[in-house]
Amino acid sequence: MSLTDGVGELVRDGDVVALEGFTHLIPHAAGREIIRQGRKDLTLVRMTPDIVYDQLIGAGCARKLIFSWGGNPGVGSLHRFRDAVQHAWPVPLEIEEHSHAGMANRYVAGASGLPFAVLRGYRGTDLPEHTATIKWITCPFTGEELAAVPALNPDVSIIHAQRADRAGNVQMWGLVGVQKEAVLAAGRSLVTVEEVVDELEPVVGQVVLPHWAVTAVAEAPRGAHPSYAQGYYERDNDYYKYWDSIGRDRETFRGWVRDEVLAEGSATEATGDKEGVR
């Protein structure tokens, strides 16, 4: 289906929403579409919230963030994220912070149908004192004390991939994070892709999500920009630097939403460019 219809049907106010992709294949086009459609009260989940979540938070889409690291990689802070936490602008933002390992294990537990994950982690940090979803348990076999974290089961997970075929099988390769686990853990899933093809040609190191695990596919060329899609385009480092100047100021950010997000949606509607694949 089209990206507009995919977000319209699958992302609802109040949902727990994961947009995953680790420096690579980050679903930026889907994030902008969520802003355009004015979704509110979302609990956003992401291992590494970077500028796509800065945009969603600044647009007032989020009420809570579950994450393990937040920043503009290679540049600095996420200023819309900071403003929401420190000054409740545009709305208050609750945070739940974990480690990378904790978040990855939570997705794996969710994808596996398990209630929680167990890991050797969090020792030497004060995260357990500030995060209620980290508990200590004792191994029944060795007596070792381990950290337990609850499974993540988003209402909807959104990822970007290189290709899908017309049956809805999805193919991705390169630096793959927890996209597979995020989709398998979710109640619904939307996958944006660079292109839809008749047949998926095998690629070394590929991950293939079968059609039965995917709710909808939307063709969105350059849908990961300014992150990169291996085999299609490189990371746009200048855009990450540009974002720092946009995110620093509330009015400048509002102008960006008006001129680059809402205007993009209006242009798409005007040209009738809503064709998708279902």
Side-chain angles (χ1 to χ4, degrees):
M1 60 176 64
S2 70
L3 178 56
T4 301
D5 290 343
V7 169
E9 291 190 23
L10 299 177
V11 182
R12 302 153 192 172
D13 289 351
D15 273 353
V16 177
V17 181
L19 282 77
E20 281 296 350
F22 194 75
T23 78
H24 176 229
L25 298 175
I26 299 171
H28 280 271
R32 292 192 298 274
E33 185 59 35
I34 291 171
I35 295 173
R36 275 193 291 272
Q37 296 197 20
R39 292 295 181 266
K40 303 294 182 186
D41 299 319
L42 303 178
T43 295
L44 297 177
V45 184
R46 182 168 164 76
M47 281 187 62
T48 54
D50 51 13
I51 67 175
V52 66
Y53 272 23
D54 208 32
Q55 294 163 1
L56 286 162
I57 292 166
C61 299
R63 67 169 185 85
K64 181 177 180 178
L65 178 66
I66 301 173
F67 72 112
S68 56
W69 176 90
N72 185 342
V75 179
S77 290
L78 295 175
H79 302 290
R80 295 301 91 227
F81 176 21
R82 292 180 66 95
D83 205 3
V85 172
Q86 294 176 334
H87 305 116
W89 192 94
V91 294
L93 183 70
E94 179 185 351
I95 60 172
E96 180 182 324
E97 187 175 359
H98 281 269
S99 67
H100 280 353
M103 288 290 290
N105 276 274
R106 293 186 70 185
Y107 275 123
V108 170
S112 302
L114 296 172
F116 64 92
V118 179
L119 66 151
R120 291 187 178 97
Y122 296 106
R123 292 195 177 280
T125 79
D126 60 359
L127 278 174
E129 299 173 22
H130 300 280
T131 303
T133 49
I134 302 169
K135 303 293 184 183
W136 299 106
I137 63 171
T138 301
C139 174
F141 303 104
T142 66
E144 181 182 2
E145 190 177 49
L146 300 166
V149 289
L152 275 172
N153 292 106
D155 294 307
V156 57
S157 287
I158 301 174
I159 65 169
H160 189 74
Q162 281 98 335
R163 292 196 291 241
D165 64 19
R166 301 189 185 281
N169 300 297
V170 173
Q171 180 189 41
M172 67 186 86
W173 64 90
L175 180 58
V176 176
V178 292
Q179 290 100 311
K180 174 184 70 176
E181 291 79 4
V183 167
L184 295 177
R188 307 180 296 276
S189 59
L190 172 63
V191 182
T192 58
V193 295
E194 289 298 317
E195 61 177 335
V196 176
V197 297
D198 292 327
E199 184 176 352
L200 299 178
E201 294 290 336
V203 176
V204 174
Q206 70 181 11
V207 172
V208 175
L209 285 168
H211 65 87
W212 53 261
V214 176
T215 308
V217 169
E219 192 170 36
R222 293 186 65 79
H225 179 269
S227 72
Y228 69 104
Q230 184 167 324
Y232 288 80
Y233 46 88
E234 296 181 352
R235 187 179 191 268
D236 186 348
N237 294 316
D238 289 339
Y239 191 95
Y240 285 87
K241 297 175 184 176
Y242 159 77
W243 182 254
D244 187 70
S245 65
I246 300 300
R248 280 182 179 273
D249 179 74
R250 293 177 184 178
E251 292 307 313
T252 305
F253 172 76
R254 281 173 165 160
W256 175 85
V257 172
R258 180 187 64 246
D259 298 337
E260 297 194 32
V261 179
L262 302 182
E264 178 186 350
S266 299
T268 299
E269 291 178 7
T271 59
D273 185 19
K274 291 185 176 182
E275 187 173 343
V277 176
R278 191 167 194 160

